[in-house]
Structure formats: C-alpha cells, structure tokens
Amino acid sequence: MVLANTTHNSDVVSADGVMVYRFARGCDGWTVENRTFLRLLRDNETESDSLWSFASWESVDGRSFHFHARYEQDGKTIEKLEGEAQLKRFGAGRARFSEPSGTEIRLPIGTLFPTEHIRQVLAAAAKGKHLLSRTVFDGASLDNPYEISAVMRPLSPTDAETLAKNVGLAVEPSFWTRMAFFALDDSSPEAEFEMDAKYRADGIADQIIQQFDTFSLDVRLKEIELLPPPDC
C-alpha cells in the first residue's frame, strides 16, 4: 500500500502499509479476515500508525452476518465494533451490536451483506450492465448501512491478460469497477469513500485504489494463495 495522490489541502506527504486479506468459503458461509497496517507522514513531519482488523462470517443464503472490527491509532484502541445482523425473507432486518452494547441499526428492504453484494456486482458486469446501486451493511462502522453505487465496464482482452498474469491464473472475463459509498442517513451528495478496482469474474483483484477525503492509496497485489474448497 502506497500513496497514490493527494488533494491540494491535504497534509499527507507519504503513506505506506500492508494488507493481509483472507477470504474463504465454508460449508455454511463465507469468512473474511482483514488486517491492515498503515503509516502516514504529514507535512509537519509527524507520523501516525494505524492498525485495522476485521473479521466476518456471512451465511450462504445471504441472510445472516457476524462481524468484529477493531481500529487502533498509535497503539491505542480508537473504536471496537462487534455484533450480528439478520435479514428477513424479503430483505429487511436489524443489526445488533454487542459493542457498543445496546446499539441497533435498522436494515431496510433490499439490504445486502458484502459477499452477496460483490457477487451481484460481478454478475451484473458479466451481463453487460454498467451501473448497479444497492444498500449494503458491512459492520465496519456505525455509519452503516451504505448505499453503494457501482459503475462497471469490461477490461480489454490485453488488460484481462495482464491481470491474469499478475495473479498467476488463467484468463477470465475481467472488469474495471468504481464503487462510491454513501451513508444511508446522510443527505450529503459527497461519497464518504470511493474505490476503484480491477476484478476478475472470480472476484480476485490485482489493484485497488482507495479514495479518502484528502488522499488516496494504491493497493497492489503482492502474493496470492488459493485455498482448497471445503470438504462438505
């Protein structure tokens, strides 16, 4: 992870970090584990270190979700989130947090959890669609759920071949995707967060650009290990 660019009013002058991401299919659902370390250097020559860890489980039917997130800044815990979310048959539901205790968030009809969301984005891209908007709960912040607007277009055969070479796998249909995250209860026209990615049809990406308020990060794939399918 390195600094991609900054806005004119940003005080960030450099950034570097590493992300370790594990995505696995189990017999009853999908598990995600993410651990990200980032160091920022600002124009007053001060450094800040952040560590973000996240783990979740999402049921195969897309109706149950468990999550745990922890954010540390310079060795101090800034935020800790933990809980579960359930969707009813037609997509409405609630997220209940054990930390912060007693917090509940209503999930409107049509809400998706993250794995189902990316599955729908890639499926829409494979059908030639260029826009998909969905409400998504990911458990990573109290600003959830988000309205995520995704714009997709197919990569050229040459770019798809380059992506396949970067991940060491056979060529598959591949897509450039931009996602903009809007807090559902916020009327601001500005997205809270945006990301660009080059995805294969199997969901593997070799590059992601994460865009924050005043700077963006270039996240490049360094190493990948394919996990065996579950024995069930």
Side-chain angles (χ1 to χ4, degrees), residues 30 57-66 84-87 113:
W30 304 90
W57 173 86
E58 180 178 335
S59 63
V60 171
D61 64 8
R63 292 171 59 182
S64 297
F65 187 66
H66 299 258
E84 62 178 358
Q86 301 287 335
L87 296 174
F113 297 133

Side-chain angles (χ1 to χ4, degrees), residues 2 16 24 48 54 60-62 64 82-84 87 91 110 130 140 144 150-152 168 179 191 194 223-224:
V2 298
D16 65 272
S48 62
F54 179 81
V60 171
D61 64 8
S64 297
E82 189 169 356
E84 62 178 358
L87 296 174
H130 298 289
N144 271 265
V151 178
M152 309 86 73
M179 299 186 196
E194 293 185 60
E223 183 179 352
I224 185 170

Side-chain angles (χ1 to χ4, degrees), residues 148-183:
I148 302 180
S149 295
V151 178
M152 309 86 73
R153 62 170 171 79
L155 292 183
S156 68
T158 299
D159 289 340
E161 289 178 6
T162 299
L163 196 163
K165 182 178 179 181
N166 290 343
V167 301
L169 298 172
V171 177
E172 282 198 1
S174 302
F175 314 95
W176 171 85
T177 303
R178 166 168 283 188
M179 299 186 196
F181 293 65
F182 300 87

Side-chain angles (χ1 to χ4, degrees), residues 23-217:
F23 183 85
R25 170 69 188 265
C27 295
D28 56 354
W30 304 90
T31 59
V32 170
E33 298 174 57
N34 186 335
R35 190 170 178 86
T36 301
F37 172 80
L38 179 66
R39 173 167 292 163
L40 298 178
L41 175 64
R42 303 185 185 276
D43 57 12
N44 59 2
E45 297 186 349
T46 61
E47 287 185 346
S48 62
D49 293 343
S50 61
L51 178 64
W52 187 73
S53 57
F54 179 81
S56 69
W57 173 86
E58 180 178 335
S59 63
V60 171
D61 64 8
R63 292 171 59 182
S64 297
F65 187 66
H66 299 258
F67 57 92
H68 174 90
R70 186 184 188 95
Y71 178 65
E72 298 179 11
Q73 184 76 43
D74 296 324
K76 297 181 180 180
T77 299
I78 303 300
E79 186 176 45
K80 186 178 179 181
L81 303 173
E82 189 169 356
E84 62 178 358
Q86 301 287 335
L87 296 174
K88 297 179 181 178
R89 182 179 178 184
F90 298 107
R94 286 190 177 273
R96 295 178 172 85
F97 290 73
S98 55
E99 193 157 353
S101 179
T103 301
E104 288 194 10
I105 295 177
R106 183 183 64 84
L107 304 179
I109 292 175
T111 298
L112 304 176
F113 297 133
T115 299
E116 180 58 28
H117 174 245
I118 192 63
R119 284 162 57 94
Q120 290 195 16
V121 168
L122 294 175
K127 293 178 181 178
K129 296 183 179 180
H130 298 289
L131 181 65
L132 186 74
S133 183
R134 293 289 186 269
T135 301
V136 181
F137 179 87
D138 65 11
S141 79
L142 292 175
D143 292 334
N144 271 265
Y146 288 97
E147 187 72 19
I148 302 180
S149 295
V151 178
M152 309 86 73
R153 62 170 171 79
L155 292 183
S156 68
T158 299
D159 289 340
E161 289 178 6
T162 299
L163 196 163
K165 182 178 179 181
N166 290 343
V167 301
L169 298 172
V171 177
E172 282 198 1
S174 302
F175 314 95
W176 171 85
T177 303
R178 166 168 283 188
M179 299 186 196
F181 293 65
F182 300 87
L184 204 61
D185 295 331
D186 188 350
S187 59
S188 171
E190 300 292 329
E192 284 197 6
F193 173 74
E194 293 185 60
M195 60 173 282
D196 293 4
K198 296 178 181 177
Y199 282 113
R200 291 160 47 90
D202 57 14
I204 295 174
D206 70 335
Q207 181 185 19
I208 297 173
I209 303 295
Q210 298 179 334
Q211 301 181 5
F212 301 93
D213 286 341
T214 63
F215 68 96
S216 61
L217 297 174

